[in-house]
Amino acid sequence: MKISDLKIGQKVTIKGLLAEYQGIQKVKVCGFGKVEKQVFKGVGIEIYKYFSLQDGTKTLQQEGITLS
C-alpha cells in the first residue's frame, strides 16, 4: 500500500508514534513559503509529521509506517 492510498482519518504508526492521516495540506516552510505536504497528526499529542507529495508513491513499509 502506498502513502497516497491512505484515507483521511486513518490511523497509522510512524516509527512508534500513533498518528492520524490528515490528507494533503499547505504547510508553511521556514524560509521557503507554503508548500503542499501529506500531513500526519499525532494522536493525543500535538506533533505533526510531514511527507512530500513525491513520497506518496513510496510504500508504507519504505517509510516505516504501519497500519493501526
Side-chain angles (χ1 to χ4, degrees):
M1 178 178 225
K2 296 180 182 178
I3 295 174
S4 60
D5 295 337
L6 292 172
K7 293 178 177 59
I8 294 177
Q10 193 167 4
K11 294 195 183 334
V12 296
T13 303
I14 304 172
K15 299 179 184 172
L17 171 70
L18 184 60
E20 183 177 299
Y21 182 62
Q22 299 289 306
I24 297 173
Q25 299 177 357
K26 288 194 175 199
V27 177
K28 185 175 182 180
V29 177
C30 185
F32 191 73
K34 289 190 175 184
V35 294
E36 288 187 333
K37 298 249 183 196
Q38 296 190 9
V39 178
F40 292 85
K41 179 183 179 204
V43 175
I45 52 176
E46 287 294 318
I47 293 179
Y48 291 88
K49 177 74 176 160
Y50 305 107
F51 290 93
S52 68
L53 295 181
Q54 292 82 12
D55 289 341
T57 60
K58 294 182 179 179
T59 64
L60 297 177
Q61 186 178 17
Q62 287 174 317
E63 293 297 321
I65 300 173
T66 56
L67 294 174
S68 296

